[in-house]
Amino acid sequence: MFTIDQIKEAHSKVKSGADFPNYIQDLIILGVKGYDTFVHDGSVVYFGLNNYTAAAEEKYPEIKVADFPNKELFIELLVKHQHGESDYMTFCAQCAQCGIAKWRVNIVEMTCTYFDKSENEILIEKIPS
């Protein structure tokens, strides 16, 4: 099974949202089936086969997530991030500003779903391969 150190090595290659598809390919090779990223502190829980999980501790000081989502602004900022116009920390701050509490990447289905604080799905997108 995969380790957090292996995942960190793969993630170290990500400089912007434009690098995300390659990161997903690296995770597939490691055996990761999906993961949840929590915006408030950057912690991540990775999922593998047979209910295997590995958790990465918080990555940054806690940020406040807005109580109500702003889907339109979020989509605008997400597109910019995916075109390489923001780094990871900027994107996390923008998610918080827009009320995105976490995102779930499902590598099997190749989707990324963004959730608000109440676990409502705000946006589901296909991950480019």
Side-chain angles (χ1 to χ4, degrees), residues 9-78:
E9 183 179 332
H11 195 265
S12 71
K13 302 174 196 172
V14 179
K15 303 302 178 209
S16 73
D19 300 321
F20 188 72
N22 290 336
Y23 173 60
I24 293 298
Q25 293 305 312
D26 287 346
L27 293 182
I28 289 170
I29 292 166
L30 292 174
V32 176
K33 300 298 179 196
Y35 61 90
D36 287 348
T37 300
F38 298 90
V39 172
H40 73 281
D41 66 358
S43 59
V44 184
V45 177
Y46 298 88
F47 310 101
L49 291 175
N50 301 319
N51 296 321
Y52 177 80
T53 62
E57 299 300 318
E58 66 276 355
K59 292 183 182 178
Y60 47 78
E62 190 158 328
I63 54 178
K64 182 179 179 346
V65 176
D67 291 329
F68 301 101
N70 182 336
K71 182 177 180 176
E72 293 75 21
L73 178 60
F74 174 66
I75 290 171
E76 179 183 320
L77 296 170
L78 174 62

Side-chain angles (χ1 to χ4, degrees), residues 76-120:
E76 179 183 320
L77 296 170
L78 174 62
V79 169
K80 288 182 179 185
H81 182 64
Q82 290 171 336
H83 286 103
E85 295 180 31
S86 63
D87 63 17
Y88 182 77
M89 277 308 306
T90 300
F91 179 65
C92 290
Q94 291 169 338
C95 285
Q97 170 194 351
C98 293
I100 302 301
K102 78 173 184 181
W103 63 81
R104 173 172 292 145
V105 171
N106 183 322
I107 294 175
V108 175
E109 295 179 5
M110 292 300 280
T111 59
C112 183
T113 305
Y114 299 89
F115 296 89
D116 67 11
K117 284 182 169 182
S118 299
E119 295 279 327
N120 295 310

